[in-house]
Amino acid sequence: MKKIQQLKELLALKQELREDLMQYLEEEFYGLYEYLSNGEQVDEFVLETQQAMILLEEKGELNILLSNPLELEFQEEVNLKNSRVLRIGVLSAEDIQLCYVLK
């Protein structure tokens, strides 16, 4: 599992992730930045712990997440250029935390 709270953490994953997934996650991060920032620069913006983007890497992590359906707000499959991503919204401290799983 990788937790992304800052742009630099996301950009550090560039070598590990497929290009289309990286582009999608960047778009998601910038969307959160536009919605949640208080005027700070994007390189200074930090998501709160309960708002951090979570990239699940192992099937067991997904199973644990899906084991509590009361916390799930939504699940959607996103088709990218060369892959598919499961995007899951989880209720976390009265906020929605976004989790991603490459399918």
Side-chain angles (χ1 to χ4, degrees), residues 22-93:
M22 186 65 199
Q23 182 178 358
Y24 174 71
L25 292 176
E26 284 182 41
E27 290 170 8
E28 290 280 284
F29 184 86
Y30 283 111
L32 290 170
Y33 166 71
E34 285 182 27
Y35 182 69
L36 298 169
S37 70
N38 289 318
E40 66 265 50
Q41 297 295 315
V42 70
D43 57 338
E44 297 171 355
F45 175 68
V46 179
L47 289 164
E48 298 290 329
T49 301
Q50 71 273 11
Q51 297 169 329
M53 297 168 59
I54 304 295
L55 183 59
L56 302 174
E57 301 175 290
E58 297 177 14
K59 187 171 182 130
E61 294 170 337
L62 177 61
N63 291 338
I64 291 169
L65 184 67
L66 297 177
S67 69
N68 193 349
L70 296 177
E71 292 181 359
L72 297 179
E73 286 293 313
F74 64 86
Q75 289 184 66
E76 62 186 9
E77 195 167 297
V78 179
N79 291 312
L80 305 176
K81 186 176 180 180
N82 297 314
S83 51
R84 292 182 304 158
V85 174
L86 185 59
R87 181 177 184 254
I88 304 168
V90 179
L91 186 59
S92 176

